[in-house]
């Protein structure tokens, strides 16, 4: 089984063993494809993303060479597939840490809606524990990768906020004050975080 980690530096594992991918352009190509979650990107879109809006002459031919080399590294010719005028990655949710994160958040929200607060809190903590840092932190993140980074970081912040709301409902007010103080300082325009901090301080 092959796994991709994007919630931090880009990493690849096959059956638990790291797969080395050092070439910067191959790493960038993989990041661009993974950021699309299995959706197709045309050759022109891939070239724009790889060369930051300024693809060189012969970019399409060079891109096809990169695709061939990436397939060899992945040792899975059916993973990176040609789809009409472009390419996409064949992925399932269990193979990408970001997808596992999103799936776990959905399950946590369902548990919360059933008032299963301890289970929901544990699921939120498990989801947040998948993060190793900023998504794609070692990849130049212009264009489509940057958009996906922003989406994931917003979801991470919302997930943390929902986990805090549950822990406040469970009575862990004093314990949450330092964390909420730090989050409110990092995100001063997030009114909900400020409200949760005031609630935690009041209940403490």
């Amino acid at each position: 089984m092959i796994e991709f980690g994007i919630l931090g530096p880009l990493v690849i594992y096959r059956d638990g063993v790291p797969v080395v991918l050092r070439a910067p352009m191959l790493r960038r190509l993989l990041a661009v494809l993974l950021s699309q979650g299995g959706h197709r990107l045309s050759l022109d879109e891939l070239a724009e993303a790889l060369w930051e809006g300024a693809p060189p002459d012969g970019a399409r031919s060079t891109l096809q060479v990169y695709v061939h080399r990436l397939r060899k590294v992945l040792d899975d010719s059916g993973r990176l597939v040609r789809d009409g005028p472009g390419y996409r990655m064949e992925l399932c949710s269990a193979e990408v840490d970001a997808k596992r994160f999103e799936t776990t958040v959905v399950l946590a929200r369902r548990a919360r809606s059933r008032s299963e607060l301890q289970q929901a809190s544990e699921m939120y903590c498990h989801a947040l524990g998948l993060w190793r840092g900023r998504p794609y932190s070692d990849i130049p993140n212009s264009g489509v990768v940057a958009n996906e980074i922003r989406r994931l970081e917003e979801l991470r912040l919302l997930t943390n906020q929902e986990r805090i709301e549950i822990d406040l409902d469970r009575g862990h007010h004093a314990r949450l004050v330092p964390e909420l103080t730090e989050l409110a300082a990092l995100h001063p325009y997030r009114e909900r975080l400020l409200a949760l901090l005031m609630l935690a301080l009041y209940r403490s």
Side-chain angles (χ1 to χ4, degrees):
M1 177 180 177
I2 195 162
E3 297 175 86
F4 302 96
I6 64 175
L7 300 178
L10 177 62
V11 292
I12 312 165
Y13 294 96
R14 184 183 293 108
D15 298 326
V17 178
V19 175
V20 177
L21 181 61
R22 292 194 177 94
M25 288 301 278
L26 295 190
R27 293 180 64 81
R28 186 163 189 164
L29 173 60
L30 178 60
V32 169
L33 289 164
L34 288 173
S35 74
Q36 297 307 291
H39 296 292
R40 182 187 67 197
L41 281 174
S42 70
L43 290 174
D44 289 340
E45 289 170 327
L46 281 169
E48 287 285 318
L50 282 182
W51 284 282
E52 299 186 48
D57 293 339
R60 283 190 168 209
S61 298
T62 304
L63 175 57
Q64 290 172 336
V65 172
Y66 289 156
V67 167
H68 175 71
R69 290 172 59 191
L70 182 56
R71 281 174 170 160
K72 287 185 67 176
V73 171
L74 297 178
D75 192 26
D76 186 349
S77 60
R79 175 72 52 182
L80 202 176
V81 299
R82 184 69 185 256
D83 185 353
Y87 292 94
R88 61 181 173 83
M89 292 288 289
E90 284 279 1
L91 300 166
C92 71
S93 295
E95 294 173 334
V96 185
D97 58 358
K99 295 298 183 184
R100 295 199 302 273
F101 166 71
E102 293 185 74
T103 298
T104 306
V105 169
V106 169
L107 295 174
R109 287 171 174 168
R110 289 176 183 171
R112 184 184 185 186
S113 71
R114 298 191 299 266
S115 298
E116 298 170 355
L117 298 187
Q118 181 174 344
Q119 182 181 5
S121 178
E122 291 172 355
M123 287 179 173
Y124 279 121
C125 288
H126 175 71
L128 291 164
L130 294 173
W131 286 69
R132 297 170 288 113
R134 189 169 185 264
Y136 302 102
S137 60
D138 59 339
I139 304 293
N141 50 50
S142 61
V144 294
V145 176
N147 292 338
E148 178 65 359
I149 290 171
R150 285 190 290 270
R151 186 188 74 83
L152 287 169
E153 288 189 323
E154 175 65 16
L155 181 55
R156 181 189 192 184
L157 183 58
L158 287 173
T159 298
N160 211 15
Q161 177 181 299
E162 291 170 17
R163 191 265 308 166
I164 288 170
E165 290 171 348
I166 288 175
D167 286 348
L168 281 172
D169 290 342
R170 297 172 66 207
H172 302 310
H173 315 123
R175 179 173 62 81
L176 290 166
V177 169
E179 181 181 2
L180 277 167
T181 301
E182 182 179 355
L183 283 171
L186 288 171
H187 306 280
Y189 301 109
R190 303 288 292 223
E191 294 183 0
R192 182 57 180 163
L193 288 175
L194 294 171
L196 291 173
L197 173 58
M198 288 188 287
L199 180 62
L201 288 167
Y202 171 74
R203 289 181 177 176
S204 298

